[in-house]
Amino acid sequence: MTTPMLRRVAPGDVARELRPPVDGATLADAGRIIEDVRARGEVAVREFAERFGERRPDEPLVLDRDAMRSALEALDGDARGVLERAANRIARFAEAQRASFADLDTAVPGGRAGHALVPVCAAGCYAPAGRYPLPSSVLMTAVPARVAGCDRVVLASPGAHPVAVAAAAIAGADAFLAVGGAHAVAALAYGFDGFDRVDIIAGPGNRWVTAAKQLVSGIVGIDMLAGPSELLVIADDSADPTVVAADLLAQAEHDADAMPLLVTTSASLADGVDEAISSQLEQLATAGVARQALRNGIACVCGSTDELVRVADGLTAEHVQVFVRDAADFAGRLRHAGALFIGESSAEVLGDYGAGPNHTLPTGGTARFRAGLSVLDFLRPRTWLDVAPAADPAGYAEVVRDAAALAAMEGLDGHRRAALARGSATAAR
């Protein structure tokens, strides 16, 4: 019997397939790079950039707006149109997200309180560029930061590929840091002479980028720890195996660590998908990488729709495509997914390439507690309080008494006295 393209896994064993976003060895490697950049600044960044073939000694590490604009003007007209249309769709979705959240102003005892949605001042946006540049990731990170209202948007990507630099111009970036990896994350977090640090770092990357983001978290904000990419296709016997196979291969070609996953109620569909994958690999230009990623892939055949839901939620995958009858109803039953793609026409690749929602998504089970990147990552709901006894004497007095009582419970006499000072001032009036 031919070995299946997707390894068969029983429903009870699926949870073991989850992988953490980053491993200890990579964390240690990234830590050494970060410490070197923190200590030696631009000199260290330059050395890493030259070592990894990102920059020559005579090339600048940081490109300004004029350099980005030149790359945009040199871009083929058709390519520019694709990038501009994608950027517009991403911006419209980000603007709609922003509009769905509002400043808050509500009554509290003694006055009013609320929050104001305040943008982060400086955003560092990372876009990978391994075998190919990823202008889509440039747009997905920098456009929401600009929509949020960040004063400064910096794009970091290894090698400054012309199409990535052009995409940064379209997204409205202020500067382009032409390096990648852990040294780019460190440069964004600590800055160097002539290059100011940022306040948040967002965007996908390889395991060294992810490890570096984890290590600088707290020095700067980060969006998430995004590990190897995952696609889960949930399908019943109504799904087209050739379409399922095409989508799984599209995921597998990302890199050798990608995870193509299939959960289905139909054993015959799983077999059909295997056959279709084998056939389509013969024509796939990226088959070498896809074959490696397929080793991480699994197919799980479930005995019922309820089990399908349980297994899918247990996987908590980054991208979840729902190819079942009544797909919208089924999708409503799922609790854990980085992003949902409902029905066969809603291909994950459309989300990757700018239909609207962001493609930077949580992996490794982290969608249990975190959503994908959005304009909200670049906003802070900063709260405020404006109370006085004249507005509500009884309510204000109650808050003062309770604050003093809670401070006493916690043994913080200075807090108690500070609260009662307001009560004394009120009584004196």
Side-chain angles (χ1 to χ4, degrees), residues 55-233:
R55 297 270 89 184
R56 295 192 305 269
D58 60 336
E59 291 181 312
L61 292 178
V62 181
L63 307 181
D64 61 17
R65 285 182 174 178
D66 288 341
M68 287 186 281
R69 176 60 57 181
S70 294
L72 179 58
E73 291 173 351
L75 197 64
D76 171 81
D78 289 341
R80 178 171 180 166
V82 168
L83 291 175
E84 288 178 338
R85 289 192 296 275
N88 286 335
R89 290 191 294 267
I90 294 165
R92 287 198 301 270
F93 188 84
E95 288 162 359
Q97 283 186 314
R98 175 65 180 85
S100 71
F101 290 82
D103 290 351
L104 173 68
D105 185 334
T106 189
V108 297
R112 304 197 68 79
H115 71 229
L117 292 172
V118 181
V120 169
C121 291
C125 301
Y126 190 92
R131 292 171 297 128
Y132 305 102
L134 298 179
S136 60
S137 291
V138 173
L139 300 177
M140 289 287 182
T141 52
V143 169
R146 189 53 80 201
V147 169
C150 298
D151 292 335
R152 176 170 166 255
V153 177
V154 177
L155 201 294
S157 188
H161 190 283
V163 73
V165 178
I170 289 172
D174 297 297
F176 191 107
L177 178 63
V179 301
H183 51 296
V185 173
L188 291 169
Y190 293 105
F192 53 79
D193 188 27
F195 181 78
D196 293 336
R197 59 180 291 183
V198 301
D199 300 311
I200 185 171
I201 301 173
N206 62 21
R207 57 194 173 105
W208 285 277
V209 170
T210 304
K213 286 170 68 177
Q214 180 171 324
L215 291 169
V216 301
S217 175
I219 303 298
V220 293
I222 65 168
D223 55 346
M224 69 190 80
L225 300 177
S229 195
E230 308 154 351
L231 171 64
L232 169 62
V233 176

Side-chain angles (χ1 to χ4, degrees), residues 174-386:
D174 297 297
F176 191 107
L177 178 63
V179 301
H183 51 296
V185 173
L188 291 169
Y190 293 105
F192 53 79
D193 188 27
F195 181 78
D196 293 336
R197 59 180 291 183
V198 301
D199 300 311
I200 185 171
I201 301 173
N206 62 21
R207 57 194 173 105
W208 285 277
V209 170
T210 304
K213 286 170 68 177
Q214 180 171 324
L215 291 169
V216 301
S217 175
I219 303 298
V220 293
I222 65 168
D223 55 346
M224 69 190 80
L225 300 177
S229 195
E230 308 154 351
L231 171 64
L232 169 62
V233 176
I234 303 172
D236 60 18
D237 59 3
S238 68
D240 183 340
T242 62
V243 173
V244 173
D247 289 346
L248 291 172
L249 285 173
Q251 187 66 26
E253 73 175 356
H254 264 294
D255 59 60
D257 292 328
M259 292 188 71
L261 311 166
L262 171 64
V263 177
T264 179
T265 50
S266 171
S268 62
L269 176 77
D271 292 338
V273 169
D274 266 339
E275 293 176 9
I277 287 175
S278 180
S279 174
Q280 291 176 31
L281 274 171
E282 300 303 318
Q283 288 82 41
L284 190 66
T286 52
V289 174
R291 287 183 190 278
Q292 295 179 66
L294 285 167
R295 297 171 189 163
N296 309 317
I298 65 168
C300 175
V301 179
C302 297
S304 67
T305 301
D306 288 343
E307 188 171 55
L308 206 61
V309 172
R310 287 196 299 273
V311 170
D313 272 342
L315 280 168
T316 316
E318 176 188 18
H319 310 94
V320 178
Q321 292 189 172
V322 180
F323 291 176
V324 302
R325 297 178 182 86
D326 301 319
D329 289 341
F330 183 93
R333 298 177 61 186
L334 296 172
R335 302 188 67 184
H336 303 310
L340 285 168
F341 302 84
I342 303 169
E344 191 173 283
S345 298
S346 303
E348 184 267 339
V349 68
L350 301 183
D352 271 352
Y353 291 128
N358 210 284
H359 77 197
T360 305
L361 300 166
T363 66
T366 58
R368 292 178 296 108
F369 53 83
R370 142 99 244 178
L373 183 68
S374 77
V375 68
L376 303 178
D377 286 288
F378 302 102
L379 294 169
R380 299 163 289 165
R382 187 175 65 197
T383 59
W384 54 267
L385 179 67
D386 185 359

